[in-house]
Amino acid sequence: AQTVTQSQPEMSVQEAETVTLSCTYDTSENNYYLFWYKQPPSRQMILVIRQEAYKQQNATENRFSVNFQKAAKSFSLKISDSQLGDTAMYFCAFMKPHSGTYKYIFGTGTRLKVLA
Amino acid sequence: DAGITQSPRYKITETGRQVTLMCHQTWSHSYMFWYRQDLGHGLRLIYYSAAADITDKGEVPDGYVVSRSKTENFPLTLESATRSQTSVYFCASSEPRTSNSYEQYFGPGTRLTVT
């Protein structure tokens, strides 16, 4: 069974600095998808970035980028120029399209606080 | 309202009572999911549905019942609530067959407290 591990329960970063959140996963599959979701204090889950395992190029979305290391089964999220609005819980998720199921497996989350 | 909504947003109930959490989406997405969020566990899948009248268990289905008579609705019922079911519940939907993004869209959550 697949598992997702986020080893940093809490992190903090100064405004305008860069922070990296780590995520590792365990799978024997070759084709899968990885996601980072953000959950601000409002509780609303928002997709930050997505990576297809068959793509070697790391995904980027404005200030958010990932470092995808398929062999190491690592999927870290880098937030550049951190803003106060980035304060949130961040969840890493794994999904393998299989037999018509599209279930996510989530990590336990990292609480990020951006300091003014 | 467009999107995915959940009701109620907050609910307090007593042990042993039946409670139903509602989820409604306006996109006609085929897939819908129920998760619970607990400190130290992240989000865990309770049940999911691939289409109307098709449902299947997730990781933590015990004590929960779902139905999906219409594509847009996916209610979650706790038949006899227990304190261990105190949690925040999220509903999500997606349309993986026509979208290669596999993004799930989440509702705002329901905070349930069982006393």
Side-chain angles (χ1 to χ4, degrees), chain A residues 35-73:
Chain A
F35 306 83
W36 279 99
Y37 276 82
K38 170 185 178 181
Q39 186 183 44
S42 66
R43 280 203 324 238
Q44 183 68 52
M45 294 282 285
I46 304 163
L47 178 66
V48 174
I49 201 165
R50 171 185 55 246
Q51 176 78 43
E52 296 92 332
Y54 64 87
K55 288 187 177 180
Q56 294 187 340
Q57 185 174 6
N58 289 326
T60 62
E61 288 287 343
N62 301 314
R63 298 183 295 107
F64 298 88
S65 61
V66 299
N67 182 5
F68 174 50
Q69 301 289 328
K70 191 172 183 179
K73 298 178 183 176

mmCIF file of all heavy atoms in Angstrom, chain A residues 35-73:
data_model
loop_
_atom_site.group_PDB
_atom_site.id
_atom_site.type_symbol
_atom_site.label_atom_id
_atom_site.label_comp_id
_atom_site.label_asym_id
_atom_site.label_seq_id
_atom_site.Cartn_x
_atom_site.Cartn_y
_atom_site.Cartn_z
ATOM 1 N N PHE A 35 0.486 15.775 -5.483
ATOM 2 C CA PHE A 35 -0.163 17.069 -5.319
ATOM 3 C C PHE A 35 0.293 17.722 -4.012
ATOM 4 O O PHE A 35 0.617 17.037 -3.033
ATOM 5 C CB PHE A 35 -1.689 16.913 -5.237
ATOM 6 C CG PHE A 35 -2.310 16.155 -6.369
ATOM 7 C CD1 PHE A 35 -2.337 14.766 -6.363
ATOM 8 C CD2 PHE A 35 -2.884 16.819 -7.443
ATOM 9 C CE1 PHE A 35 -2.922 14.056 -7.397
ATOM 10 C CE2 PHE A 35 -3.473 16.119 -8.483
ATOM 11 C CZ PHE A 35 -3.487 14.737 -8.461
ATOM 12 N N TRP A 36 0.268 19.041 -4.017
ATOM 13 C CA TRP A 36 0.342 19.815 -2.787
ATOM 14 C C TRP A 36 -0.941 20.635 -2.677
ATOM 15 O O TRP A 36 -1.297 21.364 -3.613
ATOM 16 C CB TRP A 36 1.543 20.757 -2.775
ATOM 17 C CG TRP A 36 2.834 20.103 -2.391
ATOM 18 C CD1 TRP A 36 3.823 19.660 -3.223
ATOM 19 C CD2 TRP A 36 3.275 19.816 -1.062
ATOM 20 N NE1 TRP A 36 4.843 19.105 -2.502
ATOM 21 C CE2 TRP A 36 4.545 19.201 -1.169
ATOM 22 C CE3 TRP A 36 2.735 20.024 0.209
ATOM 23 C CZ2 TRP A 36 5.285 18.780 -0.050
ATOM 24 C CZ3 TRP A 36 3.469 19.617 1.314
ATOM 25 C CH2 TRP A 36 4.720 19.009 1.183
ATOM 26 N N TYR A 37 -1.609 20.474 -1.534
ATOM 27 C CA TYR A 37 -2.803 21.257 -1.231
ATOM 28 C C TYR A 37 -2.504 22.173 -0.059
ATOM 29 O O TYR A 37 -1.772 21.813 0.868
ATOM 30 C CB TYR A 37 -3.995 20.360 -0.882
ATOM 31 C CG TYR A 37 -4.750 19.839 -2.073
ATOM 32 C CD1 TYR A 37 -4.300 18.725 -2.774
ATOM 33 C CD2 TYR A 37 -5.916 20.451 -2.508
ATOM 34 C CE1 TYR A 37 -5.005 18.243 -3.878
ATOM 35 C CE2 TYR A 37 -6.628 19.974 -3.604
ATOM 36 C CZ TYR A 37 -6.158 18.870 -4.281
ATOM 37 O OH TYR A 37 -6.856 18.398 -5.369
ATOM 38 N N LYS A 38 -3.128 23.338 -0.095
ATOM 39 C CA LYS A 38 -3.001 24.330 0.970
ATOM 40 C C LYS A 38 -4.330 24.435 1.702
ATOM 41 O O LYS A 38 -5.393 24.457 1.069
ATOM 42 C CB LYS A 38 -2.645 25.679 0.349
ATOM 43 C CG LYS A 38 -2.710 26.876 1.262
ATOM 44 C CD LYS A 38 -2.439 28.148 0.473
ATOM 45 C CE LYS A 38 -2.551 29.385 1.334
ATOM 46 N NZ LYS A 38 -2.304 30.625 0.557
ATOM 47 N N GLN A 39 -4.269 24.476 3.033
ATOM 48 C CA GLN A 39 -5.482 24.678 3.837
ATOM 49 C C GLN A 39 -5.256 25.867 4.760
ATOM 50 O O GLN A 39 -4.661 25.733 5.825
ATOM 51 C CB GLN A 39 -5.818 23.429 4.644
ATOM 52 C CG GLN A 39 -7.133 23.543 5.385
ATOM 53 C CD GLN A 39 -7.438 22.327 6.238
ATOM 54 O OE1 GLN A 39 -6.571 21.816 6.938
ATOM 55 N NE2 GLN A 39 -8.665 21.847 6.177
ATOM 56 N N PRO A 40 -5.717 27.045 4.369
ATOM 57 C CA PRO A 40 -5.574 28.230 5.227
ATOM 58 C C PRO A 40 -6.506 28.124 6.437
ATOM 59 O O PRO A 40 -7.279 27.167 6.534
ATOM 60 C CB PRO A 40 -5.979 29.376 4.294
ATOM 61 C CG PRO A 40 -6.834 28.749 3.261
ATOM 62 C CD PRO A 40 -6.360 27.322 3.101
ATOM 63 N N PRO A 41 -6.455 29.088 7.344
ATOM 64 C CA PRO A 41 -7.321 29.043 8.529
ATOM 65 C C PRO A 41 -8.810 28.939 8.196
ATOM 66 O O PRO A 41 -9.597 28.469 9.008
ATOM 67 C CB PRO A 41 -6.994 30.360 9.233
ATOM 68 C CG PRO A 41 -5.568 30.623 8.860
ATOM 69 C CD PRO A 41 -5.445 30.156 7.441
ATOM 70 N N SER A 42 -9.209 29.334 7.012
ATOM 71 C CA SER A 42 -10.615 29.202 6.606
ATOM 72 C C SER A 42 -11.033 27.743 6.415
ATOM 73 O O SER A 42 -12.220 27.441 6.287
ATOM 74 C CB SER A 42 -10.851 29.950 5.290
ATOM 75 O OG SER A 42 -10.130 29.322 4.230
ATOM 76 N N ARG A 43 -10.082 26.842 6.412
ATOM 77 C CA ARG A 43 -10.291 25.394 6.237
ATOM 78 C C ARG A 43 -10.466 24.965 4.782
ATOM 79 O O ARG A 43 -10.483 23.773 4.498
ATOM 80 C CB ARG A 43 -11.509 24.885 7.014
ATOM 81 C CG ARG A 43 -11.301 24.639 8.454
ATOM 82 C CD ARG A 43 -12.310 23.650 9.048
ATOM 83 N NE ARG A 43 -13.642 23.705 8.532
ATOM 84 C CZ ARG A 43 -14.724 23.923 9.292
ATOM 85 N NH1 ARG A 43 -14.567 24.191 10.567
ATOM 86 N NH2 ARG A 43 -15.918 23.916 8.753
ATOM 87 N N GLN A 44 -10.613 25.897 3.861
ATOM 88 C CA GLN A 44 -10.828 25.528 2.464
ATOM 89 C C GLN A 44 -9.567 24.922 1.860
ATOM 90 O O GLN A 44 -8.504 25.520 1.895
ATOM 91 C CB GLN A 44 -11.232 26.771 1.659
ATOM 92 C CG GLN A 44 -11.545 26.482 0.222
ATOM 93 C CD GLN A 44 -12.810 25.661 0.064
ATOM 94 O OE1 GLN A 44 -13.858 26.000 0.582
ATOM 95 N NE2 GLN A 44 -12.717 24.558 -0.660
ATOM 96 N N MET A 45 -9.680 23.726 1.304
ATOM 97 C CA MET A 45 -8.549 23.047 0.661
ATOM 98 C C MET A 45 -8.385 23.584 -0.757
ATOM 99 O O MET A 45 -9.338 23.580 -1.547
ATOM 100 C CB MET A 45 -8.808 21.546 0.620
ATOM 101 C CG MET A 45 -8.839 20.886 1.987
ATOM 102 S SD MET A 45 -7.205 20.609 2.654
ATOM 103 C CE MET A 45 -6.677 19.215 1.655
ATOM 104 N N ILE A 46 -7.163 23.987 -1.081
ATOM 105 C CA ILE A 46 -6.888 24.595 -2.376
ATOM 106 C C ILE A 46 -5.688 23.897 -3.005
ATOM 107 O O ILE A 46 -4.657 23.733 -2.360
ATOM 108 C CB ILE A 46 -6.569 26.095 -2.232
ATOM 109 C CG1 ILE A 46 -7.703 26.821 -1.502
ATOM 110 C CG2 ILE A 46 -6.307 26.740 -3.587
ATOM 111 C CD1 ILE A 46 -7.321 28.171 -0.963
ATOM 112 N N LEU A 47 -5.804 23.501 -4.264
ATOM 113 C CA LEU A 47 -4.679 22.887 -4.959
ATOM 114 C C LEU A 47 -3.602 23.940 -5.220
ATOM 115 O O LEU A 47 -3.885 25.005 -5.761
ATOM 116 C CB LEU A 47 -5.139 22.287 -6.280
ATOM 117 C CG LEU A 47 -4.032 21.654 -7.135
ATOM 118 C CD1 LEU A 47 -3.450 20.435 -6.430
ATOM 119 C CD2 LEU A 47 -4.573 21.271 -8.512
ATOM 120 N N VAL A 48 -2.375 23.612 -4.827
ATOM 121 C CA VAL A 48 -1.250 24.517 -5.053
ATOM 122 C C VAL A 48 -0.508 24.139 -6.322
ATOM 123 O O VAL A 48 -0.230 24.978 -7.191
ATOM 124 C CB VAL A 48 -0.285 24.474 -3.847
ATOM 125 C CG1 VAL A 48 0.965 25.316 -4.143
ATOM 126 C CG2 VAL A 48 -0.978 24.952 -2.578
ATOM 127 N N ILE A 49 -0.186 22.841 -6.444
ATOM 128 C CA ILE A 49 0.643 22.408 -7.555
ATOM 129 C C ILE A 49 0.500 20.908 -7.739
ATOM 130 O O ILE A 49 0.175 20.196 -6.782
ATOM 131 C CB ILE A 49 2.121 22.812 -7.308
ATOM 132 C CG1 ILE A 49 2.926 22.867 -8.610
ATOM 133 C CG2 ILE A 49 2.766 21.930 -6.263
ATOM 134 C CD1 ILE A 49 4.248 23.593 -8.459
ATOM 135 N N ARG A 50 0.734 20.457 -8.951
ATOM 136 C CA ARG A 50 0.557 19.044 -9.308
ATOM 137 C C ARG A 50 1.746 18.588 -10.145
ATOM 138 O O ARG A 50 2.294 19.353 -10.931
ATOM 139 C CB ARG A 50 -0.725 18.902 -10.113
ATOM 140 C CG ARG A 50 -0.962 17.559 -10.755
ATOM 141 C CD ARG A 50 -2.205 17.591 -11.633
ATOM 142 N NE ARG A 50 -2.130 18.652 -12.618
ATOM 143 C CZ ARG A 50 -2.933 19.715 -12.622
ATOM 144 N NH1 ARG A 50 -3.852 19.858 -11.695
ATOM 145 N NH2 ARG A 50 -2.815 20.622 -13.554
ATOM 146 N N GLN A 51 2.121 17.317 -9.961
ATOM 147 C CA GLN A 51 3.245 16.743 -10.707
ATOM 148 C C GLN A 51 2.857 15.372 -11.236
ATOM 149 O O GLN A 51 2.373 14.531 -10.461
ATOM 150 C CB GLN A 51 4.479 16.609 -9.805
ATOM 151 C CG GLN A 51 5.680 15.934 -10.433
ATOM 152 C CD GLN A 51 6.449 16.869 -11.363
ATOM 153 O OE1 GLN A 51 6.680 18.028 -11.050
ATOM 154 N NE2 GLN A 51 6.888 16.359 -12.502
ATOM 155 N N GLU A 52 3.050 15.155 -12.524
ATOM 156 C CA GLU A 52 2.859 13.824 -13.096
ATOM 157 C C GLU A 52 4.182 13.079 -13.013
ATOM 158 O O GLU A 52 5.223 13.624 -13.383
ATOM 159 C CB GLU A 52 2.419 13.922 -14.564
ATOM 160 C CG GLU A 52 1.077 14.579 -14.766
ATOM 161 C CD GLU A 52 1.165 16.072 -15.003
ATOM 162 O OE1 GLU A 52 2.128 16.708 -14.512
ATOM 163 O OE2 GLU A 52 0.268 16.611 -15.664
ATOM 164 N N ALA A 53 4.156 11.846 -12.560
ATOM 165 C CA ALA A 53 5.391 11.105 -12.333
ATOM 166 C C ALA A 53 6.161 10.836 -13.617
ATOM 167 O O ALA A 53 7.385 10.677 -13.599
ATOM 168 C CB ALA A 53 5.092 9.791 -11.622
ATOM 169 N N TYR A 54 5.457 10.764 -14.746
ATOM 170 C CA TYR A 54 6.149 10.474 -15.992
ATOM 171 C C TYR A 54 6.877 11.693 -16.552
ATOM 172 O O TYR A 54 7.648 11.581 -17.500
ATOM 173 C CB TYR A 54 5.187 9.909 -17.031
ATOM 174 C CG TYR A 54 4.103 10.862 -17.465
ATOM 175 C CD1 TYR A 54 4.314 11.765 -18.512
ATOM 176 C CD2 TYR A 54 2.859 10.865 -16.853
ATOM 177 C CE1 TYR A 54 3.322 12.641 -18.921
ATOM 178 C CE2 TYR A 54 1.858 11.738 -17.253
ATOM 179 C CZ TYR A 54 2.089 12.627 -18.290
ATOM 180 O OH TYR A 54 1.108 13.478 -18.693
ATOM 181 N N LYS A 55 6.635 12.847 -15.971
ATOM 182 C CA LYS A 55 7.312 14.069 -16.418
ATOM 183 C C LYS A 55 8.555 14.314 -15.552
ATOM 184 O O LYS A 55 8.455 14.386 -14.330
ATOM 185 C CB LYS A 55 6.378 15.269 -16.320
ATOM 186 C CG LYS A 55 5.271 15.275 -17.355
ATOM 187 C CD LYS A 55 4.501 16.582 -17.306
ATOM 188 C CE LYS A 55 3.433 16.620 -18.393
ATOM 189 N NZ LYS A 55 2.654 17.893 -18.366
ATOM 190 N N GLN A 56 9.677 14.444 -16.191
ATOM 191 C CA GLN A 56 10.902 14.693 -15.434
ATOM 192 C C GLN A 56 11.018 16.148 -14.995
ATOM 193 O O GLN A 56 11.648 16.451 -13.983
ATOM 194 C CB GLN A 56 12.116 14.292 -16.260
ATOM 195 C CG GLN A 56 12.198 12.794 -16.519
ATOM 196 C CD GLN A 56 13.500 12.397 -17.183
ATOM 197 O OE1 GLN A 56 14.172 13.238 -17.781
ATOM 198 N NE2 GLN A 56 13.850 11.138 -17.095
ATOM 199 N N GLN A 57 10.403 17.039 -15.756
ATOM 200 C CA GLN A 57 10.500 18.458 -15.430
ATOM 201 C C GLN A 57 9.691 18.775 -14.197
ATOM 202 O O GLN A 57 8.530 18.363 -14.067
ATOM 203 C CB GLN A 57 10.015 19.292 -16.606
ATOM 204 C CG GLN A 57 10.198 20.792 -16.416
ATOM 205 C CD GLN A 57 9.850 21.574 -17.662
ATOM 206 O OE1 GLN A 57 9.368 21.024 -18.647
ATOM 207 N NE2 GLN A 57 10.097 22.872 -17.632
ATOM 208 N N ASN A 58 10.287 19.526 -13.283
ATOM 209 C CA ASN A 58 9.597 19.914 -12.063
ATOM 210 C C ASN A 58 8.519 20.945 -12.355
ATOM 211 O O ASN A 58 8.735 21.901 -13.098
ATOM 212 C CB ASN A 58 10.590 20.493 -11.060
ATOM 213 C CG ASN A 58 11.510 19.441 -10.473
ATOM 214 O OD1 ASN A 58 11.095 18.291 -10.277
ATOM 215 N ND2 ASN A 58 12.740 19.814 -10.200
ATOM 216 N N ALA A 59 7.371 20.770 -11.715
ATOM 217 C CA ALA A 59 6.258 21.696 -11.911
ATOM 218 C C ALA A 59 6.515 23.007 -11.171
ATOM 219 O O ALA A 59 7.148 23.033 -10.109
ATOM 220 C CB ALA A 59 4.961 21.068 -11.408
ATOM 221 N N THR A 60 6.029 24.085 -11.754
ATOM 222 C CA THR A 60 6.105 25.400 -11.113
ATOM 223 C C THR A 60 4.791 26.132 -11.319
ATOM 224 O O THR A 60 4.130 25.963 -12.350
ATOM 225 C CB THR A 60 7.249 26.262 -11.694
ATOM 226 O OG1 THR A 60 6.980 26.487 -13.083
ATOM 227 C CG2 THR A 60 8.588 25.584 -11.536
ATOM 228 N N GLU A 61 4.407 26.903 -10.311
ATOM 229 C CA GLU A 61 3.222 27.754 -10.362
ATOM 230 C C GLU A 61 3.567 29.040 -9.627
ATOM 231 O O GLU A 61 3.463 29.125 -8.417
ATOM 232 C CB GLU A 61 2.018 27.065 -9.701
ATOM 233 C CG GLU A 61 1.426 25.933 -10.447
ATOM 234 C CD GLU A 61 0.637 26.362 -11.676
ATOM 235 O OE1 GLU A 61 0.283 27.551 -11.788
ATOM 236 O OE2 GLU A 61 0.378 25.486 -12.523
ATOM 237 N N ASN A 62 3.996 30.037 -10.384
ATOM 238 C CA ASN A 62 4.366 31.336 -9.815
ATOM 239 C C ASN A 62 5.438 31.154 -8.738
ATOM 240 O O ASN A 62 6.541 30.706 -9.031
ATOM 241 C CB ASN A 62 3.114 32.031 -9.273
ATOM 242 C CG ASN A 62 2.081 32.252 -10.349
ATOM 243 O OD1 ASN A 62 2.390 32.710 -11.445
ATOM 244 N ND2 ASN A 62 0.822 31.890 -10.062
ATOM 245 N N ARG A 63 5.148 31.467 -7.487
ATOM 246 C CA ARG A 63 6.152 31.377 -6.422
ATOM 247 C C ARG A 63 6.343 29.954 -5.885
ATOM 248 O O ARG A 63 7.196 29.725 -5.027
ATOM 249 C CB ARG A 63 5.744 32.296 -5.264
ATOM 250 C CG ARG A 63 5.678 33.774 -5.624
ATOM 251 C CD ARG A 63 5.326 34.621 -4.401
ATOM 252 N NE ARG A 63 3.989 34.341 -3.900
ATOM 253 C CZ ARG A 63 3.739 33.675 -2.777
ATOM 254 N NH1 ARG A 63 4.736 33.218 -2.036
ATOM 255 N NH2 ARG A 63 2.498 33.466 -2.385
ATOM 256 N N PHE A 64 5.530 29.034 -6.357
ATOM 257 C CA PHE A 64 5.558 27.667 -5.863
ATOM 258 C C PHE A 64 6.231 26.749 -6.895
ATOM 259 O O PHE A 64 5.905 26.811 -8.083
ATOM 260 C CB PHE A 64 4.141 27.163 -5.588
ATOM 261 C CG PHE A 64 3.412 27.955 -4.533
ATOM 262 C CD1 PHE A 64 2.679 29.079 -4.872
ATOM 263 C CD2 PHE A 64 3.472 27.575 -3.206
ATOM 264 C CE1 PHE A 64 2.017 29.821 -3.908
ATOM 265 C CE2 PHE A 64 2.806 28.300 -2.232
ATOM 266 C CZ PHE A 64 2.075 29.436 -2.578
ATOM 267 N N SER A 65 7.147 25.937 -6.425
ATOM 268 C CA SER A 65 7.784 24.965 -7.299
ATOM 269 C C SER A 65 8.053 23.704 -6.507
ATOM 270 O O SER A 65 8.019 23.711 -5.270
ATOM 271 C CB SER A 65 9.095 25.523 -7.869
ATOM 272 O OG SER A 65 10.003 25.808 -6.829
ATOM 273 N N VAL A 66 8.251 22.624 -7.233
ATOM 274 C CA VAL A 66 8.527 21.354 -6.564
ATOM 275 C C VAL A 66 9.889 20.842 -6.996
ATOM 276 O O VAL A 66 10.410 21.181 -8.050
ATOM 277 C CB VAL A 66 7.446 20.298 -6.864
ATOM 278 C CG1 VAL A 66 6.091 20.772 -6.357
ATOM 279 C CG2 VAL A 66 7.413 19.932 -8.334
ATOM 280 N N ASN A 67 10.452 20.000 -6.117
ATOM 281 C CA ASN A 67 11.648 19.238 -6.445
ATOM 282 C C ASN A 67 11.240 17.772 -6.404
ATOM 283 O O ASN A 67 11.080 17.189 -5.327
ATOM 284 C CB ASN A 67 12.768 19.523 -5.450
ATOM 285 C CG ASN A 67 14.046 18.783 -5.810
ATOM 286 O OD1 ASN A 67 14.148 18.121 -6.853
ATOM 287 N ND2 ASN A 67 15.041 18.877 -4.954
ATOM 288 N N PHE A 68 10.993 17.218 -7.580
ATOM 289 C CA PHE A 68 10.504 15.849 -7.699
ATOM 290 C C PHE A 68 11.685 14.933 -7.988
ATOM 291 O O PHE A 68 12.329 15.052 -9.041
ATOM 292 C CB PHE A 68 9.465 15.777 -8.813
ATOM 293 C CG PHE A 68 8.990 14.391 -9.134
ATOM 294 C CD1 PHE A 68 8.566 13.531 -8.128
ATOM 295 C CD2 PHE A 68 8.948 13.939 -10.443
ATOM 296 C CE1 PHE A 68 8.117 12.258 -8.424
ATOM 297 C CE2 PHE A 68 8.495 12.665 -10.753
ATOM 298 C CZ PHE A 68 8.086 11.827 -9.744
ATOM 299 N N GLN A 69 11.951 14.040 -7.068
ATOM 300 C CA GLN A 69 13.027 13.062 -7.210
ATOM 301 C C GLN A 69 12.378 11.676 -7.221
ATOM 302 O O GLN A 69 12.141 11.089 -6.162
ATOM 303 C CB GLN A 69 14.019 13.192 -6.060
ATOM 304 C CG GLN A 69 14.665 14.559 -5.930
ATOM 305 C CD GLN A 69 15.648 14.831 -7.041
ATOM 306 O OE1 GLN A 69 16.306 13.924 -7.554
ATOM 307 N NE2 GLN A 69 15.763 16.096 -7.423
ATOM 308 N N LYS A 70 12.120 11.169 -8.427
ATOM 309 C CA LYS A 70 11.346 9.932 -8.527
ATOM 310 C C LYS A 70 12.065 8.750 -7.911
ATOM 311 O O LYS A 70 11.465 7.935 -7.214
ATOM 312 C CB LYS A 70 11.022 9.631 -9.995
ATOM 313 C CG LYS A 70 10.008 8.521 -10.174
ATOM 314 C CD LYS A 70 9.572 8.397 -11.617
ATOM 315 C CE LYS A 70 8.495 7.331 -11.779
ATOM 316 N NZ LYS A 70 8.033 7.197 -13.185
ATOM 317 N N ALA A 71 13.341 8.617 -8.152
ATOM 318 C CA ALA A 71 14.076 7.461 -7.618
ATOM 319 C C ALA A 71 14.117 7.501 -6.095
ATOM 320 O O ALA A 71 14.021 6.460 -5.438
ATOM 321 C CB ALA A 71 15.493 7.436 -8.175
ATOM 322 N N ALA A 72 14.229 8.680 -5.542
ATOM 323 C CA ALA A 72 14.265 8.838 -4.086
ATOM 324 C C ALA A 72 12.876 8.901 -3.481
ATOM 325 O O ALA A 72 12.728 8.918 -2.261
ATOM 326 C CB ALA A 72 15.045 10.096 -3.716
ATOM 327 N N LYS A 73 11.845 8.949 -4.331
ATOM 328 C CA LYS A 73 10.454 9.048 -3.894
ATOM 329 C C LYS A 73 10.279 10.254 -2.975
ATOM 330 O O LYS A 73 9.739 10.151 -1.855
ATOM 331 C CB LYS A 73 10.002 7.753 -3.230
ATOM 332 C CG LYS A 73 10.047 6.572 -4.191
ATOM 333 C CD LYS A 73 9.641 5.266 -3.541
ATOM 334 C CE LYS A 73 9.798 4.129 -4.546
ATOM 335 N NZ LYS A 73 9.520 2.810 -3.959
#
